[in-house]
């Protein structure tokens, strides 16, 4: 399957913006002490650079072997987090705190970077199967079924995250009360009880911060721009789904 080079450039611009936002969000959270999911922000910053090089090879900054090592380590990290969090057992929480989608993203990146898909195009061409790559047959050992499964997961994650955000927005409006102005409701101070973590508490015990999440996120502090962060993840998922479909 092939795609137009202008579309590859458009998706490259999208992931560059999403990756730059993730990097800036991580830097601001470290500088100002705001709560954020630091490992996910770092992953999406790296994914933005890697996917840009795959879509537009002349913008590649590292060889494929280096990216394979980076995403292999990231997959091991998020796999460990998913085991500790028991997968989607925390689905009642915000979607940006789930480790399993990040694990699948790492697996998808490894799949797209592995050399079983044939030679990469030259630096003057569009990446993946776009812009005159000229390979109509699927290379042996490319596992197209896995590409379909990963693309379907990305589609499901996009739908689930969008629905989850809409549900949380409706819950916030309902919590403000039917007869109260939204602005006045937002100005009413709400006392947030402090959360204390016993020194002997296990990492997965209630009240203990999850791995990869800053302590302020668990202590009731405001998370740094969660809506924009989720939009960036949706942009990454859409682009990754498109790239996976091009490998069929």
């Amino acid at each position: 399957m092939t795609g137009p080079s202008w579309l590859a450039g458009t998706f490259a611009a999208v992931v560059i913006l999403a990756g730059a936002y993730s990097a800036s969000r991580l830097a601001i959270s470290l500088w100002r002490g705001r709560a954020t999911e630091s490992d996910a922000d770092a992953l999406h910053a790296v994914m933005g650079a890697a996917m840009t090089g795959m879509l537009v090879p002349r913008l590649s900054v590292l060889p494929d072997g280096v990216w394979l090592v980076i995403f292999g380590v990231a997959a091991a990290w998020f796999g460990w987090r998913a085991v500790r969090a028991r997968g989607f057992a925390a689905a009642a929480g915000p979607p940006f705190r789930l480790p399993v989608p990040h694990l699948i993203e790492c697996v998808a990146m490894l799949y797209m970077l592995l050399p079983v898909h044939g030679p990469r195009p030259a630096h003057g061409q569009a990446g993946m199967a776009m812009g005159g790559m000229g390979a109509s047959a699927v290379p042996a050992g490319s596992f197209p079924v896995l590409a379909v499964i990963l693309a379907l997961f990305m589609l499901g994650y996009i739908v689930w995250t969008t629905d989850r955000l809409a549900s949380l927005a409706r819950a916030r409006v309902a919590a403000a009360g039917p007869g109260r102005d939204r602005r006045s409701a937002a100005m009413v101070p709400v006392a947030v009880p402090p959360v204390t973590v016993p020194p002997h508490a296990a990492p997965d015990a209630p009240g203990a911060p999850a791995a990869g999440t800053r302590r302020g996120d668990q202590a009731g502090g405001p998370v740094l721009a969660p809506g924009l962060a989720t939009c960036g993840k949706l942009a990454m998922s859409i682009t990754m789904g498109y790239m996976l479909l091009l490998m069929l």
Side-chain angles (χ1 to χ4, degrees), residues 109-135:
M109 291 300 298
L110 291 172
Y111 172 81
M112 293 188 292
L113 287 164
L114 285 173
V116 296
H117 307 293
R120 294 280 293 276
H123 277 254
Q125 299 174 312
M128 306 298 296
M130 293 172 271
M133 188 171 178

Side-chain angles (χ1 to χ4, degrees), residues 12 37-38 42 69 71 76-77 79 82 88 109 134 156 188 195 197 199 210 217 224 226 229:
E37 194 178 12
S38 56
V69 173
F71 289 109
W77 166 254
F88 282 98
M109 291 300 298
V188 175
V195 177
V197 181
D217 198 4
L224 180 60

Side-chain angles (χ1 to χ4, degrees), residues 136-165:
S136 57
V138 178
S142 61
F143 307 110
V145 175
L146 180 58
V148 173
I149 293 173
L150 293 171
L152 289 176
F153 178 89
M154 293 301 162
L155 176 61
Y157 179 60
I158 291 167
V159 174
W160 181 84
T161 304
T162 304
D163 178 73
R164 189 68 184 170
L165 285 176

Side-chain angles (χ1 to χ4, degrees), residues 28-193:
I28 293 173
S29 68
L30 295 175
W31 176 42
R32 304 187 61 180
R34 294 290 299 276
T36 184
E37 194 178 12
S38 56
D39 52 359
D41 287 330
L43 172 66
H44 288 109
V46 173
M47 280 176 55
M51 292 168 70
T52 299
M54 296 171 70
L55 290 164
V56 184
R58 67 176 178 271
L59 300 180
S60 179
V61 295
L62 291 174
D64 290 354
V66 177
W67 289 126
L68 284 170
V69 173
I70 292 174
F71 289 109
V73 173
W77 166 254
F78 285 105
W80 175 72
R81 278 197 59 196
V83 170
R84 294 185 63 179
R86 295 172 181 85
F88 282 98
F96 49 80
R97 297 182 185 174
L98 293 176
V100 173
H102 305 317
L103 171 61
I104 302 301
E105 288 172 341
C106 293
V107 173
M109 291 300 298
L110 291 172
Y111 172 81
M112 293 188 292
L113 287 164
L114 285 173
V116 296
H117 307 293
R120 294 280 293 276
H123 277 254
Q125 299 174 312
M128 306 298 296
M130 293 172 271
M133 188 171 178
S136 57
V138 178
S142 61
F143 307 110
V145 175
L146 180 58
V148 173
I149 293 173
L150 293 171
L152 289 176
F153 178 89
M154 293 301 162
L155 176 61
Y157 179 60
I158 291 167
V159 174
W160 181 84
T161 304
T162 304
D163 178 73
R164 189 68 184 170
L165 285 176
S167 300
L168 292 175
R170 289 192 297 267
R172 285 195 297 266
V173 173
R180 300 176 61 183
D181 181 75
R182 188 177 300 179
R183 177 180 298 180
S184 61
M187 295 178 62
V188 175
V190 178
V192 179

